[in-house]
Amino acid sequence: MKKIIFFLAITLIFKACKDESKANGKLNIVTTTTMITDLVQNIGGDMVNVQGLMGYGVDPHLYKASEGDVNKLVKADIIFYNGLHLEGKLVEVFEKMGSKTKTPIALADALDKRTLIGSEYFASNFDPHVWFDINYFKQFAEKTATILSERNPENAKTFEANKNAYLTKLEALQTSITQIIATLPKEKRILVTAHDAFNYFGKAYGFEVVGLQGISTATEAGVQDVQKLATFIIEKQIKAIFVESSVPKRTIEALQAAVKSKGHDVKIGGTLYSDALGNAGTAEGTYIGMFEYNVKTIVNALK
């Protein structure tokens, strides 16, 4: 019943809202995750107004749209989201919007699905955490610039210049993290985290990745999962395991306790940013700063 009322409210909002002129001549853009918000701000620059639905530290797997969110979505000139069912609970809202006003842009549609990691946890059948491979995020940047230029051709040169400048920064990021990772012996490149958000990172940069929960935080780890992973940590002599900013740390603390109960110790190596960036105004509040922080935290803890 609540679902019916919610979608009735969406329909009424659509009927009530008329096309509005762009504020200050700028495109009004709504984004979902903090990673995409940061990306669009970098490429759109001063030519766009960007509103992110999800705050810093918010889990996109569990996020539900509020009535205020729907208002923002309806008034947007463009909506950018990750796709691959990362924002699972927003999909029905997006489908409703696509039929009524506009089609939201799933940036992951720009990727070659043959290269993605499969997943049984998502309706797309793919792991959606693609931003942890910088090469995929570069493709997000290309797609974003193309869409902005199509919708606002008079500023196409600006969008292209901003995109190129950002791609240069992403190239520098790749070089930097590759050098940092090279300081960690290959046999120590085993990353144990709260859930499987880092599979693309592992594939791209040579880490074995093990998540206590599944790829979606909607699943929960059971006692057997904890005990099995505790045994794995002892066998591999892993020095550190990691909390994630958007996942309750109790799961990793339970894993640490399970290892200790078997007569061994493993430290919590720090908190990694997985499904969301850090606080606004900090280095970790940007995609590049988040990535650098994560890599340094992982490498320093596992050495």
Side-chain angles (χ1 to χ4, degrees):
M1 184 65 181
K2 288 182 179 179
K3 195 173 186 180
I4 294 173
I5 293 172
F6 180 70
F7 282 108
L8 178 60
I10 292 176
T11 302
L12 292 174
I13 290 171
F14 286 149
K15 289 179 178 178
C17 288
K18 297 179 179 180
D19 291 337
E20 298 182 3
S21 59
K22 302 179 184 66
N24 301 318
K26 300 179 180 181
L27 287 171
N28 289 314
I29 299 175
V30 171
T31 54
T32 54
T33 69
T34 50
M35 290 75 68
I36 294 175
T37 300
D38 183 56
L39 172 67
V40 176
Q41 287 172 335
N42 271 279
I43 296 177
D46 295 333
M47 299 297 104
V48 299
N49 296 309
V50 184
Q51 294 185 84
L53 295 184
M54 300 179 192
Y56 295 82
V58 172
D59 183 349
H61 299 291
L62 305 177
Y63 188 82
K64 295 180 181 179
S66 67
E67 187 174 333
D69 290 337
V70 174
N71 273 295
K72 292 176 184 176
L73 291 166
V74 170
K75 294 176 182 178
D77 296 308
I78 310 174
I79 300 162
F80 287 109
Y81 70 111
N82 185 86
L84 299 177
H85 280 258
L86 175 74
E87 307 96 335
K89 295 183 181 300
L90 288 174
V91 171
E92 288 181 316
V93 177
F94 290 153
E95 289 175 349
K96 191 76 174 179
M97 292 194 66
S99 65
K100 291 289 182 180
T101 55
K102 68 202 80 179
T103 302
I105 307 299
L107 291 175
D109 286 349
L111 307 179
D112 183 347
K113 302 301 188 294
R114 294 171 297 180
T115 68
L116 300 183
I117 297 172
S119 169
E120 62 185 23
Y121 293 99
F122 290 85
S124 67
N125 295 319
F126 298 109
D127 181 338
H129 303 88
V130 289
W131 60 89
F132 278 122
D133 183 332
I134 297 172
N135 286 323
Y136 286 144
F137 207 66
K138 288 179 182 177
Q139 293 180 58
F140 275 25
E142 295 280 3
K143 178 72 172 180
T144 299
T146 297
I147 296 298
L148 292 179
S149 295
E150 288 174 353
R151 301 293 179 87
N152 192 0
E154 61 268 30
N155 289 309
K157 289 184 179 179
T158 298
F159 298 140
E160 183 71 12
N162 290 346
K163 179 203 72 175
N164 290 335
Y166 192 60
L167 289 177
T168 298
K169 291 179 181 179
L170 293 179
E171 291 281 357
L173 174 64
Q174 282 187 302
T175 299
S176 173
I177 65 168
T178 299
Q179 292 172 346
I180 295 169
I181 291 170
T183 67
L184 182 67
K186 291 183 179 180
E187 65 272 13
K188 292 187 176 182
R189 297 178 192 176
I190 304 176
L191 178 60
V192 178
T193 61
H195 89 294
D196 280 341
F198 291 89
N199 288 321
Y200 288 102
F201 172 82
K203 181 180 178 181
Y205 307 108
F207 279 78
E208 180 179 357
V209 177
V210 184
L212 182 55
Q213 294 175 233
I215 290 175
S216 171
T217 52
T219 63
E220 291 189 7
V223 174
Q224 288 186 336
D225 297 319
V226 172
Q227 292 299 323
K228 183 178 179 181
L229 188 48
T231 299
F232 174 81
I233 289 168
I234 294 167
E235 289 176 351
K236 296 292 185 178
Q237 293 295 296
I238 298 170
K239 291 178 61 178
I241 57 182
F242 300 88
V243 176
E244 294 179 38
S245 61
S246 56
V247 181
K249 66 179 181 179
R250 63 178 180 270
T251 55
I252 287 298
E253 290 175 338
L255 177 60
Q256 184 185 37
V259 173
K260 189 173 183 178
S261 72
K262 296 176 184 292
H264 293 263
D265 286 314
V266 64
K267 67 180 180 180
I268 294 180
T271 299
L272 304 180
Y273 297 99
S274 54
D275 290 342
L277 302 179
N279 291 323
T282 67
E284 294 79 23
T286 68
Y287 173 81
I288 290 174
M290 172 277 290
F291 219 114
E292 289 178 333
Y293 169 87
N294 277 357
V295 170
K296 288 177 181 177
T297 299
I298 292 166
V299 171
N300 289 337
L302 293 178
K303 278 185 177 178

